[in-house]
Amino acid sequence: MKTRRIPVPPHRLTPIQKDWIKIYSPLVEHMKLQVRMNLKSKAVEIRTSNDTEDAGALQKGADFVKAYCLGFEVDDAIALLRMDDLYIETFEIKDVKTLQGDNLSRAIGRIVGKDGKTKFAIENTSRTRVVMADSKIHILGSFANIRVARDAVVSLILGSTPGKVYSQLRTISARMKERF
């Protein structure tokens, strides 16, 4: 029996308790894993059982819980259980460019856009999910799609106007439609 412990950050404890049934059900029913929430150590503990068929089930389950802890919705994180070629990439704004104070706030504002418009545009054209957690950016998607989303986010951090990024995304999405 193999086990994994996924630490839950303090700000995600309440949401994980609210959504516990949605998180617990796919892990137990589909992946045939044993799961428990250890409130004392503030971690989710997953282990294989005798019924577990898939060799990678434990890793997939751990990735699923970790994705939820990073801030992704349960429905988005469940895709990690169902599909094999999905990844999560995390980077900070300061990894791209050293910004402080108001400049950092403006960069975050450019990425999110008014009412989240820019973030949704990036998500929809690149077929990814983007989570902004303070100055950290988490992107969930396939390898090629993450690259498209990351390039858009990086150009916004470096100071490109959202309009310029929209036009680049339009070009990329037209190219993607031609391929499929």
Side-chain angles (χ1 to χ4, degrees):
M1 292 227 191
K2 298 177 184 174
T3 61
R4 291 279 168 91
R5 290 183 64 189
I6 301 98
V8 179
H11 71 282
R12 295 299 288 172
L13 276 173
T14 307
I16 207 168
Q17 288 171 342
K18 266 188 208 156
D19 292 336
W20 184 246
I21 297 298
K22 289 182 193 171
I23 294 167
Y24 174 86
S25 301
L27 290 172
V28 173
E29 292 167 13
H30 302 298
M31 305 303 278
K32 308 277 193 276
L33 296 168
Q34 295 176 343
V35 186
R36 74 177 184 183
M37 175 73 191
N38 190 336
L39 290 172
K40 202 170 205 174
S41 66
K42 294 181 177 140
V44 174
E45 296 171 353
I46 304 174
R47 72 177 184 191
T48 57
S49 67
N50 296 333
D51 302 330
T52 308
E53 296 134 10
D54 185 11
L58 189 64
Q59 181 62 47
K60 281 183 179 181
D63 289 344
F64 165 65
V65 175
K66 195 167 177 64
Y68 184 82
C69 290
L70 288 174
F72 290 100
E73 296 290 322
V74 178
D75 299 331
D76 297 334
I78 281 180
L80 285 166
L81 296 177
R82 296 202 176 116
M83 297 167 71
D84 287 333
D85 63 336
L86 288 183
Y87 307 97
I88 298 173
E89 182 169 322
T90 300
F91 63 96
E92 287 192 53
I93 290 177
K94 70 179 180 192
D95 295 342
V96 179
K97 187 176 184 184
T98 310
L99 297 171
Q100 281 132 7
D102 287 346
N103 293 326
L104 180 65
S105 300
R106 278 194 288 276
I108 292 169
R110 276 195 302 273
I111 296 165
V112 175
K114 188 178 177 190
D115 298 327
K117 183 182 167 197
T118 309
K119 186 184 116 178
F120 288 133
I122 293 170
E123 287 180 346
N124 293 335
T125 53
S126 65
R127 294 193 190 104
T128 57
R129 287 286 165 256
V130 179
V131 168
M132 295 284 303
D134 197 29
S135 67
K136 279 195 169 85
I137 300 159
H138 310 289
I139 305 172
L140 166 72
S142 70
F143 189 75
N145 294 348
I146 286 176
R147 208 180 101 227
V148 170
R150 189 185 61 226
D151 290 346
V153 169
V154 165
S155 62
L156 286 166
I157 292 169
L158 294 174
S160 294
T161 59
K164 187 175 181 186
V165 173
Y166 286 147
S167 63
Q168 289 171 345
L169 286 172
R170 249 183 262 129
T171 309
I172 290 166
S173 76
R175 247 186 257 143
M176 286 174 119
K177 282 179 185 170
E178 283 176 14
R179 270 192 220 145
F180 299 114

